[in-house]
Amino acid sequence: MKRIGESARTLSRRDFLKVGGTGLAAAALLGVAGCGGGGEQQAGGVTELVFSASPDDTGSAKKLVDKFNEQNKGKYKVTFRPGNADTGQRFDQLRTQLQAGGENLDVILGDVIWTAQLAENGWISDLSNRFTEDMRGDYLPGSVEAITYEGKTYGMPWFTDTGLLYYRKDLLEESGFSGPPKTWDELKQMTEKVLQDSEIKFGYIFQGANYEGGVCNGLEFIWTHGGEALDPQDSNKVLIGSPEAVAGLETYRSMVASGVSPKAVTTYKEDESAGAFLNGDAVFMRNWPYVYAILSDPAESKIRPEQVGVSELPSADGEPGNGTVGDQPLYISASSKNQDAAWEFITFLTASEQQKLRAVEGSYLPTLISLYDDAEVRAKVPVVALAKDALKNTRPRPVSPYYSDMSLVMGKQFNAALTGDSTPQEAARTLQRDLEDFIKQGQEA
Ligand code: GLC
């Protein structure tokens, strides 16, 4: 089978970036030349903006859009356009639109892993002069890093994310455990005991499907065993074939092989895992902070927040585990004709009042440092205080303009290791070769 990226060998580096992965089909259909446009439409003096975002189960994003529209009646009207919940699919849709000229896009809610590729292609505006150095000091350094590419700032941080362990405090206590597991082995032992003592169906559920969330989960197993995908000191050096990474994938596989996790996790994304946990079917779940807010809604959750604890992920050696950095920044489409209006909307969304509402109503982690000490936020959203510690141990996915292609192969191999279609050794070996190939192609192009 032809490997991803192979068809790009004869293209220039820029073209390679534009057409990488599934973008190839889109480029063939639509042509890669910009055909103008932009999201601006003027209707009776009102500037209309399109806000392309991820869907929001908590309703807090839509609420803020409505608030902005209300405050700016007659001047601006923002349309909230939620895309696919799967970040990879949303990226593909967006890339297709951007390749076609970015028509009808103004403000884009992105993903930390997109910045390099969007910036390298010139699809998002350089905001270095708007999001000034002075302002940047108020934000979490990792979130500023997430919008920085080759020394320029391409967005504004909105909320940050990390993988956390949700656990059933009530069931662990009934089985005689006083706190969450520190190691993966402990998690397995606790699962066995709780499954014996209670009626609960599953032990550990997480996002094991072949998609971006599966990449995050697989990498977390690698990191919590001391492994790396790329060398943090030299991103051209691939380390995913190392014994530590293989050990991580072995533990990953063992979750399903031992029955601690149901086979179905190999198809689970965020929503399926959250659904099972909120239905009271699992002792442990790995997920992002947003699930905490849904727990408080009796219409969505059969279990109550008091029954649930949240901690850092376990690890092989008992040190706090490493969650994946998931940051969702706001970008402005480079072809939007409404750069100033888009910036005004972004300034509104990122202001302390709006970030606070998102934390309180949606348990989205703020990017403004001061909100971590806000008494109301700390009292109402305990997960924010906890995440402050967890954020110290988070790890970024590889930062690369080829990331979307790297992610496709990692998603596939991590999933194959989990289902047993590949052994952890084979998966790691294949990835070592594939990631090295991508880097080589990038250097040659
Ligand atoms: C969350 C994270 C994002 C990640 C995605 C994977 O939305 O914020 O960074 O790519 O999950 O499913």
Side-chain angles (χ1 to χ4, degrees):
M1 212 188 89
K2 193 157 86 171
R3 287 215 305 281
I4 297 152
E6 221 166 46
S7 49
R9 213 156 269 162
T10 54
L11 301 175
S12 73
R13 181 161 185 245
R14 262 197 122 67
D15 285 345
F16 171 63
L17 292 169
K18 276 187 174 143
V19 298
T22 47
L24 195 61
L29 278 174
L30 297 161
V32 289
C35 28
E40 184 183 32
Q41 291 142 24
Q42 301 283 350
V46 178
T47 300
E48 298 200 357
L49 293 173
V50 172
F51 177 31
S52 166
S54 47
D56 176 20
D57 293 342
T58 69
S60 53
K62 175 73 174 56
K63 197 165 177 176
L64 290 181
V65 170
D66 292 345
K67 184 175 165 193
F68 181 80
N69 285 339
E70 190 53 39
Q71 284 179 1
N72 292 283
K73 237 186 188 151
K75 191 175 175 201
Y76 300 129
K77 180 160 188 317
V78 178
T79 303
F80 178 54
R81 194 161 290 163
N84 203 297
D86 179 324
T87 186
Q89 292 187 26
R90 209 154 64 77
F91 182 74
D92 289 341
Q93 287 164 351
L94 203 67
R95 178 162 53 182
T96 305
Q97 280 175 285
L98 292 164
Q99 279 165 340
E103 194 121 352
N104 226 1
L105 279 175
D106 297 289
V107 176
I108 301 168
L109 177 61
D111 192 332
V112 52
I113 48 176
W114 301 357
T115 306
Q117 200 158 354
L118 295 179
E120 178 72 32
N121 280 284
W123 286 330
I124 49 175
S125 303
D126 175 0
L127 302 181
S128 307
N129 294 330
R130 295 192 193 258
F131 184 37
T132 57
E133 208 168 330
D134 214 29
M135 292 159 79
R136 282 174 234 157
D138 294 338
Y139 285 78
L140 296 171
S143 298
V144 173
E145 215 179 292
I147 41 106
T148 307
Y149 181 64
E150 295 191 338
K152 293 182 179 156
T153 348
Y154 285 92
M156 182 105 180
W158 197 27
F159 67 94
T160 191
D161 240 349
T162 185
L164 296 170
L165 181 75
Y166 289 74
Y167 59 95
R168 285 289 298 276
K169 220 164 40 181
D170 54 343
L171 298 181
L172 289 190
E173 272 165 24
E174 278 164 32
S175 287
F177 299 112
S178 56
K182 297 271 181 245
T183 65
W184 293 113
D185 282 345
E186 267 172 33
L187 179 141
K188 288 180 178 169
Q189 288 152 12
M190 288 182 177
T191 295
E192 257 173 55
K193 178 90 172 68
V194 177
L195 289 190
Q196 270 167 21
D197 297 349
S198 72
E199 298 287 298
I200 199 137
K201 283 201 223 156
F202 309 135
Y204 183 46
I205 54 175
F206 52 92
Q207 298 79 52
N210 175 4
Y211 83 116
E212 186 60 36
V215 174
C216 301
N217 281 251
L219 285 173
E220 285 164 357
F221 273 86
I222 292 177
W223 292 323
T224 56
H225 286 75
E228 293 287 351
L230 306 184
D231 187 340
Q233 311 306 327
D234 174 6
S235 59
N236 286 328
K237 199 164 159 205
V238 180
L239 298 177
I240 205 158
S242 69
E244 291 84 359
V246 172
L249 293 180
E250 275 168 350
T251 305
Y252 195 43
R253 164 74 190 141
S254 76
M255 292 295 162
V256 174
S258 66
V260 164
S261 303
K263 278 210 183 75
V265 289
T266 61
T267 63
Y268 276 12
K269 298 185 182 179
E270 281 80 3
D271 286 353
E272 290 83 359
S273 350
F277 190 77
L278 299 175
N279 199 39
D281 290 341
V283 189
F284 298 110
M285 171 182 69
R286 181 267 180 220
N287 218 321
W288 309 96
Y290 80 96
V291 178
Y292 196 85
I294 310 177
L295 263 176
S296 319
D297 179 354
E300 298 283 342
S301 178
K302 284 196 188 155
I303 48 171
R304 310 276 16 98
E306 310 80 74
Q307 294 172 270
V308 178
V310 185
S311 75
E312 282 148 333
L313 294 174
S315 65
D317 61 6
E319 289 298 311
N322 316 103
T324 308
V325 177
D327 223 278
Q328 304 211 0
L330 295 156
Y331 309 119
I332 300 180
S333 163
S335 53
S336 162
K337 296 199 189 86
N338 285 316
Q339 300 286 320
D340 289 343
W343 176 247
E344 221 173 295
F345 178 54
I346 288 181
T347 308
F348 165 84
L349 287 181
T350 52
S352 184
E353 193 183 336
Q354 276 64 249
Q355 287 208 28
K356 186 165 169 173
L357 180 140
R358 292 269 293 170
V360 172
E361 294 192 13
S363 65
Y364 289 102
L365 300 182
T367 47
L368 275 171
I369 297 168
S370 58
L371 285 175
Y372 284 83
D373 294 322
D374 183 288
E376 191 190 347
V377 171
R378 289 179 80 89
K380 290 196 174 150
V381 207
V383 77
V384 168
L386 182 133
K388 196 180 174 189
D389 287 332
L391 289 173
K392 292 186 193 131
N393 301 304
T394 50
R395 303 294 278 273
R397 283 158 277 179
V399 177
S400 162
Y402 316 113
Y403 181 75
S404 64
D405 285 338
M406 291 183 172
S407 161
L408 287 179
V409 291
M410 286 193 282
K412 186 171 168 208
Q413 291 304 325
F414 292 165
N415 182 256
L418 200 61
T419 57
D421 283 351
S422 280
T423 64
Q425 289 80 358
E426 278 163 7
R429 223 179 8 247
T430 306
L431 284 173
Q432 178 77 27
R433 190 195 59 204
D434 282 358
L435 298 194
E436 278 174 356
D437 277 0
F438 284 133
I439 290 172
K440 213 159 114 222
Q441 283 167 24
Q443 284 165 342
E444 281 167 4

